[in-house]
Amino acid sequence: MSAPNKSFDPVEVEALKPEEIARMRDEALAAFAAAGDLAALHEAKIAHTSDRSPLALANREIGALPPQAKVDVGKRVGGARGEVSRALKARQAELEAERDARVLVEEAVDVTLPTDRFTPGARHPLTTLSERIEDVFVAMGYEVAEGPEVEAEWFNFDALNFTPDHPARAMQDTFFVRATDGGGAEQDAERDAETGIVLRTHTSPVQVRSMLDREPPIYVVCPGRVYRTDELDATHTPVFHQVELLAIDEGLTMADLKGTLDHMVGALFGAGVRTRLRPNYFPFTEPSAEMDMQCYVCHGESVGNPDRPCRTCSSEGWIELGGCGMVNPRVLVACGIDPQKYSGFAFGFGIERMLMFRHNVEDMRDMVEGDVRFTRPFGMEI
Ligand code: PHE
């Protein structure tokens, strides 16, 4: 439609007649009223208000009308479009309200119903504590090493300088999978097939395996499950966990061992918590020591101070952690390492015990029963 056509008579234009406009409007209003839901209303909206709807097309014709007709028809079409758009809005609001009311009913949740969902589990604190300890050593460049739980007696005892008659080998301490008729010390790795088979009583056989597998310098941390023939009670379990450490290098001394222990304890219990060594005996270390850490709760202040008892260390000021020492040269020789050139240190301790005093767990049985009410409070440490 270009220039206005002055001689144009709007009455002659079918599409713009008042009754035509009213019909378009009524059709739109009827369509909106008939739309039963928002999707249907959307269809009706496209049909009656889009650029190609009858009223929009009629609106386009107005430009070509003479001035007076333009005013009259403009009012009529504009009025009709206004009504249509108001009706659309009103119907939209009505249908939305209906939908909201329906959703509220349909999707109502009865919060008083008992739940039938599984509550999520949690990682066992023995696993997370063990990983925490490993991390301290991995950060110092140590490698995590693991070995079998069903172990040759040679790795568990002989290579570690346990004499054949050592009491730890007795059936009442060790679970034998296959017993030998003695003579353990004469056996060697070549005769593995004839050695007894045990459930490992400590993670120390992983030291032996690590030394046989690698060339020094060797820095390994060995976490794992170990077995002893104890009855399950509040302070014993026949299956428990240890972390053991082995360092073999040129010129290592007790000072390196002590520094490493201090660092570990500081990293796990807070900077400045000290360790002390007390003489002890292990066949595989010489000299050997029992290691204690200063109580990280009372820092020794409960000792001789009945007004401030400490239940973490039973007011002793120190907490026993595990065993340690310089690797016995006989063990180095059994593992093919020259004791003239290399020395090493090792230490090992039980994770259950550490978990007990670190978190005030009073009964070891809680750790083995697998009840999530025990594990969940430790949180989701990754
Ligand atoms: N393996 C010893 C135990 O289970 C602990 C230990 C490890 C002691 C390393 C000294 C050195 O009791």
Side-chain angles (χ1 to χ4, degrees), residues 201-204 207 228 242 244-245 282 284-285 289 323-325 346-349:
T201 58
H202 49 180
T203 40
S204 305
Q207 287 187 26
R228 291 184 198 171
Q242 287 188 335
E244 178 144 337
L245 198 85
F282 296 105
F284 40 92
T285 46
C324 64
F347 67 88
F349 55 90

Side-chain angles (χ1 to χ4, degrees), residues 38 168 172 364:
L38 288 164
Q172 56 269 36
M364 240 184 221

Side-chain angles (χ1 to χ4, degrees), residues 31-89:
F32 295 160
D37 57 26
L38 288 164
L41 185 63
H42 184 69
E43 293 293 313
K45 175 185 171 178
I46 292 172
H48 295 283
T49 65
S50 71
D51 285 353
R52 309 211 49 82
S53 64
L55 278 170
L57 293 175
N59 197 51
R60 277 203 225 161
E61 304 291 333
I62 296 171
L65 298 176
Q68 188 47 49
K70 207 186 241 174
V71 173
D72 293 348
V73 178
K75 263 189 198 159
R76 192 183 309 146
V77 174
R81 296 182 90 196
E83 260 183 84
V84 167
S85 124
R86 280 191 297 280
L88 173 66
K89 252 195 182 156

Side-chain angles (χ1 to χ4, degrees), residues 158-286:
D158 300 298
L160 290 163
N161 196 35
F162 282 82
T163 50
D165 55 354
H166 194 285
R169 293 195 196 229
M171 294 276 188
Q172 56 269 36
D173 292 317
T174 303
F175 285 111
F176 275 83
V177 175
R178 189 179 75 206
T180 43
D181 40 11
E186 284 118 53
Q187 293 173 347
D188 58 28
E190 310 294 328
R191 297 176 60 208
D192 220 18
E194 287 168 41
T195 190
I197 306 284
V198 299
L199 295 185
R200 67 178 179 194
T201 58
H202 49 180
T203 40
S204 305
V206 187
Q207 287 187 26
V208 178
R209 290 181 174 273
S210 302
M211 287 190 271
L212 289 170
D213 282 356
R214 296 167 176 76
E215 289 300 319
I218 299 168
Y219 289 88
V220 288
V221 55
C222 320
R225 203 175 285 139
V226 302
Y227 303 81
R228 291 184 198 171
T229 58
D230 285 321
E231 292 292 330
L232 180 65
D233 63 25
T235 53
H236 295 88
T237 150
V239 185
F240 59 104
H241 298 75
Q242 287 188 335
V243 169
E244 178 144 337
L245 198 85
L246 172 72
I248 305 284
D249 209 334
E250 287 180 48
L252 290 183
T253 69
M254 286 290 268
D256 298 300
L257 166 62
K258 179 76 163 69
T260 307
L261 292 174
D262 284 343
H263 175 76
M264 176 190 80
V265 166
L268 293 172
F269 293 94
V273 177
R274 291 186 296 127
T275 60
R276 73 175 181 188
L277 302 181
R278 287 178 287 117
N280 195 10
Y281 173 78
F282 296 105
F284 40 92
T285 46
E286 180 58 36

